[in-house]
Amino acid sequence: MNYEVVIGLEVHAELSTKSKIFCSCTNEFGGLPNTHCCPGCIGMPGTLPILNRSVVEYAIKAGLATNCAISKYTKYDRKNYFYPDLPRAYQISQYDLPVCVDGFIEIEIGGVKKKVRIERIHIEEDAGKLVHDEWDTGSLVDYNRSGVPLVEIVTRPDMRSAEEARIFLENLKAILQFTEVSDCKMQEGSLRADVNISVRPKGSEKLGVRTEMKNLNSFRAIIRAIEAEAQRQIDEIESGSRIYRETRRWDDSKGVSYSMRSKEEAQDYRYFPEPDLPPVIINEEWVEGIRQSLPELPEARKNRYIQEYEIPPYDAGLIISSKVLSEFFEKACSKTANAKAVSNWIMGDLLRILKERIMEVEDIPFSPECLAKMVDLIDKGTISGTIAKKVFERMFDSGKDPEVIVKEEGLEVVTDEGALLEVVRKIIINNPGSVTDYMGGKKKALGFLIGQAMKETKGRADPQLISKLLI
Ligand code: ADP
Ligand code: MG
Ligand code: ZN
């Protein structure tokens, strides 16, 4: 039988506000354990929450940027459960009246556009963090993250493959970064997703029974977890068994998931309205003000790149996938007329070297102006394409200006006919076989001789000039 995979995501994004959600503690990542805390965010009795206005604004921003309707009347609810990283034994969240509802994000796969619907975006607070590994005698709690503001973005079950989920997440990440709602640093846990999966016979309208995997925190883990879980479900059904509604834990190092708890064991959170916070009324004026302040969104920027810089949609899509990268691109393009070359360098060598050196776009050691300069050095014929690759590596090593590197290492193209003639003579003397071949009509032999001359000059000669001199 042919199966269709159905995926719905619940994405948690930590907001980039200055302070926490219900107190004025800093919202900065890291810090020594339990230094970003106060009696409020460690749940001391008698403290009261005061809602950070920016948190609501950030959530509204996220909603507007994902085509949601913004609710007029919203409230906060207590979600009760006991866990040592949750000092009050309840999390303040939003249950039935979230800030945003009914949005969508458009994704493009294989040239076809489709909408992934967003059911809701609600506000909640993050919990602290348990540290298990550093002491043998017990676990420790770090409450720095306790009270960090989050939005949870819940999609409809609209994705049909791991690839669609990946593209959705990339688009969502770009939107949250462009609007500065979240930095989306997955390695710091700023963006994490719960993945809901079911399978059903192709063509069937009815949704299959789903399982859920919680807190996946890398694109790689999400994709692998989806693929493995879809296959596990298909295998179960094929072998005559059935799927149980359950929460599973994904072990990315082993590439398998384990059952954590079934629906029957699922917790009853006893949601009820948070008595210490009044409902929040969001008026039209407030929403309009935020709408006006929204920056250019990734999709619009992509289209502008295609128009303004005349680069292909593929290039534009890749560049806007990161806000920092797209700013780097624009700054470079403001210094050179050859936008396509800038885009080629970014998509090719730049991303390759970042990956090889396990660096982020933020860590690029040279300025966009330097990339523009290098493009111009090639266009003016000062350096060859081969040499440029070497210069580019050096720019990564030292962060130096390409002009300086070219000068220091003497990498300019050699156009001095006298000097090149010397090289050409040497090549002719050293390769009598190829010379005879050429003279006998084998034109291909010239290519070999040019290659030898280029090698001799370490790629610095002008190949056209070499060819002319050889002939
Ligand atoms: P819960 O609060 O129990 O997690 P929700 O109704 O909020 O349940 O759904 C959570 C997520 O599960 C949503 O992203 C939704 O799209 C997804 N989902 C619901 N049903 C299915 C299904 N049959 N297959 C795959 N995903 C599903
Ligand atoms: Mg869920
Ligand atoms: Zn605090």
Side-chain angles (χ1 to χ4, degrees):
M1 205 196 298
N2 254 332
Y3 290 92
E4 179 173 61
V5 182
V6 175
I7 303 156
L9 298 172
E10 295 159 272
V11 182
H12 284 98
E14 285 181 348
L15 305 181
S16 306
T17 52
K18 277 211 187 66
S19 48
K20 288 187 178 180
I21 183 167
F22 299 125
C23 62
S24 53
C25 288
T26 177
N27 183 26
E28 216 179 297
F29 176 79
L32 283 172
N34 299 309
T35 55
H36 298 173
C37 303
C38 70
C41 57
I42 59 171
M44 289 293 116
T47 59
L48 290 170
I50 300 169
L51 179 61
N52 179 346
R53 182 189 176 91
S54 298
V55 168
V56 182
E57 288 180 352
Y58 279 46
I60 294 172
K61 237 188 226 182
L64 291 174
T66 53
N67 309 294
C68 287
I70 308 303
S71 310
K72 297 226 154 43
Y73 187 85
T74 66
K75 74 170 175 50
Y76 295 83
D77 301 274
R78 286 190 185 178
K79 181 180 183 180
N80 299 279
Y81 63 93
F82 172 76
Y83 205 69
D85 67 7
L86 190 71
R88 283 188 306 254
Y90 59 83
Q91 177 191 30
I92 302 180
S93 179
Q94 295 190 295
Y95 184 54
D96 54 342
L97 294 169
V99 176
C100 321
V101 293
D102 290 336
F104 66 87
I105 291 179
E106 202 167 58
I107 63 170
E108 191 175 329
I109 180 155
V112 183
K113 287 186 176 164
K114 78 176 255 189
K115 283 177 181 165
V116 173
R117 289 169 300 160
I118 289 168
E119 189 181 311
R120 56 187 275 147
I121 300 178
H122 67 254
I123 292 171
E124 62 187 28
E125 57 178 336
D126 213 341
K129 213 170 77 183
L130 285 179
V131 185
H132 299 294
D133 306 329
E134 291 171 36
W135 281 265
D136 310 335
T137 48
S139 294
L140 300 176
V141 201
D142 176 4
Y143 288 121
N144 283 353
R145 205 177 66 180
S146 179
V148 164
L150 291 172
V151 285
E152 178 171 339
I153 301 157
V154 182
T155 77
R156 302 265 175 195
D158 284 350
M159 285 153 282
R160 296 289 174 267
S161 65
E163 180 63 2
E164 287 192 7
R166 188 186 62 77
I167 296 171
F168 170 82
L169 283 169
E170 297 236 325
N171 290 6
L172 175 63
K173 183 176 164 187
I175 289 169
L176 295 175
Q177 284 182 340
F178 274 56
T179 50
E180 292 176 3
V181 165
S182 171
D183 62 19
C184 297
K185 288 187 182 160
M186 295 188 96
Q187 68 280 15
E188 294 182 1
S190 295
L191 191 74
R192 10 189 239 265
D194 301 348
V195 181
N196 297 271
I197 303 179
S198 62
V199 297
R200 63 180 174 191
K202 252 207 178 97
S204 159
E205 292 280 304
K206 203 168 149 264
L207 289 173
V209 176
R210 71 173 150 119
T211 63
E212 177 172 7
M213 288 178 287
K214 284 196 177 291
N215 269 325
L216 296 168
N217 61 2
S218 76
F219 275 82
R220 187 186 116 96
I222 290 167
I223 290 162
R224 278 163 35 97
I226 291 174
E227 283 169 351
E229 176 57 12
Q231 194 54 52
R232 188 194 68 83
Q233 292 188 8
I234 292 169
D235 293 345
E236 289 284 345
I237 294 168
E238 289 282 298
S239 69
S241 183
R242 53 167 286 221
I243 305 304
Y244 297 90
R245 172 79 185 278
E246 62 184 359
T247 303
R248 300 181 67 85
R249 189 174 67 82
W250 172 251
D251 183 334
D252 197 47
S253 61
K254 297 206 177 74
V256 289
S257 65
Y258 304 96
S259 178
M260 257 169 75
R261 57 172 183 262
S262 72
K263 175 75 177 147
E264 288 68 39
E265 301 161 68
Q267 307 197 26
D268 174 2
Y269 293 119
R270 296 188 298 116
Y271 276 102
F272 66 85
E274 165 60 57
D276 291 334
L277 288 169
V280 174
I281 315 280
I282 300 172
N283 65 29
E284 200 61 34
E285 212 184 325
W286 196 14
V287 175
E288 270 322 299
I290 295 169
R291 198 193 301 275
Q292 296 309 320
S293 78
L294 279 181
E296 182 183 41
L297 294 175
E299 190 59 25
R301 186 171 291 189
K302 178 178 168 185
N303 292 329
R304 179 165 64 79
Y305 284 2
I306 297 168
Q307 296 276 314
E308 195 175 319
Y309 298 113
E310 298 176 339
I311 58 172
Y314 178 84
D315 298 30
L318 209 110
I319 290 167
I320 58 103
S321 67
S322 148
K323 181 167 188 250
V324 181
L325 191 63
S326 88
E327 278 161 4
F328 194 91
F329 169 76
E330 280 192 50
K331 281 200 189 116
C333 287
S334 71
K335 300 283 179 194
T336 171
N338 195 347
K340 178 62 187 147
V342 172
S343 148
N344 284 347
W345 278 98
I346 287 178
M347 294 194 308
D349 291 65
L350 185 106
L351 292 179
R352 175 183 57 78
I353 295 172
L354 286 179
K355 204 169 167 189
E356 278 169 13
R357 304 190 182 195
I358 317 174
M359 287 162 70
E360 299 292 325
V361 178
E362 287 85 349
D363 309 328
I364 299 173
F366 51 85
S367 67
E369 290 76 18
C370 284
L371 175 56
K373 249 188 202 174
M374 197 194 62
V375 165
D376 286 345
L377 287 174
I378 306 166
D379 289 350
K380 280 187 298 194
T382 311
I383 55 173
S384 67
T386 332
I387 290 293
K389 282 188 180 284
K390 189 164 148 190
V391 172
F392 200 56
E393 293 270 354
R394 291 277 190 283
M395 285 161 67
F396 264 97
D397 296 335
S398 65
K400 276 188 190 163
D401 185 303
E403 267 173 2
V404 174
I405 296 171
V406 168
K407 281 239 167 61
E408 278 179 0
E409 305 194 17
L411 298 170
E412 298 97 335
V413 167
V414 181
T415 47
D416 172 2
E417 281 208 22
L420 289 182
L421 212 45
E422 286 291 310
V423 175
V424 162
R425 285 210 181 91
K426 188 173 153 198
I427 296 299
I428 288 177
I429 291 164
N430 290 348
N431 297 281
S434 298
V435 174
T436 317
D437 286 350
Y438 180 74
M439 304 299 274
K442 277 196 188 159
K443 298 286 174 211
K444 265 198 194 152
L446 182 64
F448 173 78
L449 293 169
I450 294 171
Q452 291 302 304
M454 291 307 290
K455 214 168 167 186
E456 181 72 24
T457 58
K458 300 201 168 59
R460 290 176 50 214
D462 172 359
Q464 248 134 30
L465 190 52
I466 288 280
S467 167
K468 196 187 94 187
L469 295 174
L470 275 166
I471 292 170

